Amino acid sequence: MKFFADTAEIADIRELNDAGLLDGVTTNPSLIHKSGRDFMEVTKEICGIVEGPVSAEVVALDHDTMMKEAEVLRKIADNVCIKVPLTIDGLKTCRALSSDGTMVNVTLCFSANQALLAAKSGATFVSPFVGRHDDNGFDGMDLIRDIRLIYDNYDFRTEILVASVRHAVHVLESARIGADVMTAPPKVIKSLANHVLTDKGIEGFLADWAKTGQSIL
Ligand code: E4P
């Protein structure tokens, strides 16, 4: 399963990328706002750090303006992936861009039928939001299971990009189900390294090492 970082914070992106943990990045207007950076400038910087797809989201609601915005965004770098909302205008934009060889991430997906539409429109990625689904009394992971089943039934090539990931169990379940990608805040990705027995093990080894009176350097 590929790991994308759901952030526009450069320091976090560099750290995860240097550890070999990043296959791409997703941003959205809220994350750009949180970063306090200029959208075009920060997107260009991220595209220069990460080799994989970097999602940049259009903000227009109608197809013609979405296409104009996408035209500006795709000039930023070759690895920009245009993010469009799951609306009929967004799907129309998805079809036009993907026919032209541009990567498209169809975002704000909350049902398996919506995911079916994204695949039919030729999306590179579909982003079902599991955390927000859970928040509203549904099981976000059931949604991922349904989409996996449907895409496999018809051999759709659109990649399932699990979004709105809030904790380690979302990541584990996504991998079990066979999602193609998951995008999570850097702190969730880093938390996957945590284990109490790892900490305890290090503590024990260091205590015994100190007793040997030796040093490596
Ligand atoms: C996906 O691309 C979105 O940026 C994202 O995962 C939104 O998640 P949130 O529910 O934490 O805002």
Side-chain angles (χ1 to χ4, degrees), residues 8-69:
E9 302 299 329
I10 297 295
D12 288 330
I13 291 169
R14 276 194 201 287
E15 187 184 14
L16 291 168
N17 195 58
D18 287 350
L21 299 177
L22 275 202
D23 302 295
V25 169
T26 50
T27 66
N28 63 40
S30 306
L31 293 170
I32 296 296
H33 173 64
K34 198 171 159 202
S35 76
R37 298 275 312 269
D38 175 79
F39 182 27
M40 304 296 287
E41 199 184 276
V42 76
T43 306
K44 195 179 169 81
E45 197 172 341
I46 297 169
C47 288
I49 299 170
V50 181
E51 272 185 32
V54 174
S55 290
E57 190 160 343
V58 298
V59 289
L61 296 178
D62 67 284
H63 169 65
D64 289 344
T65 320
M66 279 185 196
M67 287 301 291
K68 285 182 192 145
E69 290 181 350

Side-chain angles (χ1 to χ4, degrees), residues 1-4 23 125 159-163 174 178-183:
M1 184 168 68
K2 286 177 264 190
F3 276 27
F4 288 2
D23 302 295
F125 303 103
E159 296 191 30
I160 303 172
L161 195 175
V162 181
S174 300
D180 303 283
V181 194
M182 74 88 206
T183 189

Side-chain angles (χ1 to χ4, degrees), residues 196-210:
V196 64
L197 294 179
T198 304
D199 296 342
K200 243 180 124 177
I202 290 173
E203 205 181 299
F205 286 155
L206 290 187
D208 288 339
W209 179 246

